Amino acid sequence: IIKVATSDSESGNRLAWLIILFAAIVYLEGFFGVVNAHLLTDILGARFSSVVSGMVICKSLKRGRRLDASAPVETSLAGNDIVRTMENLRLTQWVPMLITALIGGITVLVVLIGVSSVVGLFVMFSIVGLNRYISSKTKKAEKLNLKAGDKRLTLMRQLIEGIQALKM
């Protein structure tokens, strides 16, 4: 932009178009972010909550009273799990905006910086890929650690039951 601004008047037209294009991209990103947030959280979120809550309550009414009063009731699902699921789904409202921001950012980088931006993008995507590879290895190690913890817990339970049997 500085190079274009300091050159001749013909480049001034190009600078104006770049600024207009950049402003349009930022405006559209914000506009679609607000539309998606409103659509996904307010409208679809309320519909999801009302439909699923109604289904759970209808099912619990069809089942009638339980014989065991200590067993969980389905209506507690409507009070806890449905609300928690809806809150977790609120994060999905950002996905369309994030995709458009990524595409817009890459476009602006390529237009303004040129070919050298490809090197930066390559480094960025390489780091993302490396991070994904490392996290998959960590996930496998955590699963092995959980299995070992389960074995230790089983042995401790058997040991405690043996001690209780000897105590009696």
Side-chain angles (χ1 to χ4, degrees):
I1 292 177
I2 293 172
K3 198 186 312 181
V4 172
T6 57
S7 63
D8 59 357
S9 64
E10 183 181 306
S11 298
N13 251 351
R14 184 171 178 218
L15 176 66
W17 281 111
L18 281 176
I19 291 173
I20 290 170
L21 178 66
F22 185 70
I25 289 171
V26 170
Y27 174 77
L28 288 174
E29 178 186 356
F31 176 76
F32 287 123
V34 169
V35 167
N36 283 330
H38 175 67
L39 177 69
L40 293 175
T41 59
D42 296 339
I43 296 172
L44 294 179
R47 287 183 184 167
F48 169 80
S49 178
S50 63
V51 168
V52 173
S53 297
M55 288 170 38
V56 169
I57 289 172
C58 285
K59 182 176 179 179
S60 67
L61 291 174
K62 286 180 185 176
R63 293 201 51 189
R65 295 191 85 168
R66 290 177 169 256
L67 298 175
D68 183 12
S70 65
V73 181
E74 285 84 3
T75 54
S76 67
L77 176 68
N80 297 326
D81 292 341
I82 294 173
V83 174
R84 187 178 309 128
T85 302
M86 190 175 119
E87 289 299 320
N88 290 339
L89 287 175
R90 282 185 187 258
L91 295 176
T92 59
Q93 68 159 330
W94 296 104
V95 172
M97 190 181 80
L98 293 174
I99 291 171
T100 57
L102 182 66
I103 292 170
I106 289 172
T107 304
V108 168
L109 275 176
V110 171
V111 167
L112 293 179
I113 298 175
V115 179
S116 58
S117 65
V118 175
V119 175
L121 291 171
F122 175 75
V123 170
M124 181 184 74
F125 286 119
S126 299
I127 290 172
V128 168
L130 180 66
N131 189 12
R132 186 177 174 138
Y133 173 75
I134 291 172
S135 67
S136 70
K137 294 297 181 185
T138 305
K139 187 176 181 180
K140 288 178 185 176
E142 284 295 321
K143 283 184 180 180
L144 291 174
N145 193 18
L146 285 173
K147 286 181 183 178
D150 286 344
K151 287 181 183 177
R152 286 191 303 266
L153 188 62
T154 303
L155 288 173
M156 287 299 289
R157 187 178 301 124
Q158 289 174 353
L159 181 67
I160 290 172
E161 287 173 0
I163 291 173
Q164 286 176 344
L166 288 175
K167 228 177 169 182
M168 298 292 174

